[in-house]
Amino acid sequence: MIDPVEIQRKNAALAKLAGKKFSFEPKGLGHAMRKVGRRLPAKMHAHARALVEAEQKAGHPKIRMQLKAEPVEKAYEALHGALEALDPADMRKGLILSTLGMVSFHVIAVFTLLIVVLVWQGFL
């Protein structure tokens, strides 16, 4: 049997961790995972969905008896490990480098096109 308070505590901790890593204020684990979006793999979203469902089922006394602790604990450990492994500074650095690479590619493409047009028109 699973303690509903323990599930709520774990889900709140995961939501707070996701909010800290992705810079937002979560209202719950479901809300936090919607805000995170595709920045986490689908498997982590499935683990979060399982935790949210377990929290809802744990609120009902008869259904709570049917819940197994092992899958809930595995989902918690997997999601917690994935969130802990994220580095917000590295994500920002990757975004900046990606944007700079895209801009530099476009600048090179425009200058190349300009040279081609100038040669074609006979100015070079």
Side-chain angles (χ1 to χ4, degrees), residues 69-123:
E70 185 180 322
V72 173
E73 190 62 35
K74 281 185 179 179
Y76 172 77
E77 291 297 328
L79 189 55
H80 187 266
L83 288 172
E84 279 291 327
L86 293 175
D87 183 15
D90 188 45
M91 288 188 291
R92 277 192 302 274
K93 186 171 72 171
L95 179 65
I96 290 169
L97 289 175
S98 173
T99 304
L100 285 174
M102 184 174 53
V103 168
S104 64
F105 172 76
H106 285 105
V107 167
I108 291 170
V110 167
F111 279 127
T112 303
L113 185 62
L114 179 67
I115 297 296
V116 167
V117 168
L118 287 176
V119 168
W120 179 40
Q121 295 296 324
F123 293 113

Side-chain angles (χ1 to χ4, degrees), residues 34-53:
R34 280 191 300 276
K35 291 290 271 187
V36 167
R38 291 170 38 174
R39 293 180 279 183
L40 274 181
K43 190 153 184 103
M44 294 304 119
H45 282 277
H47 288 311
R49 204 168 20 261
L51 287 168
V52 170
E53 287 174 8

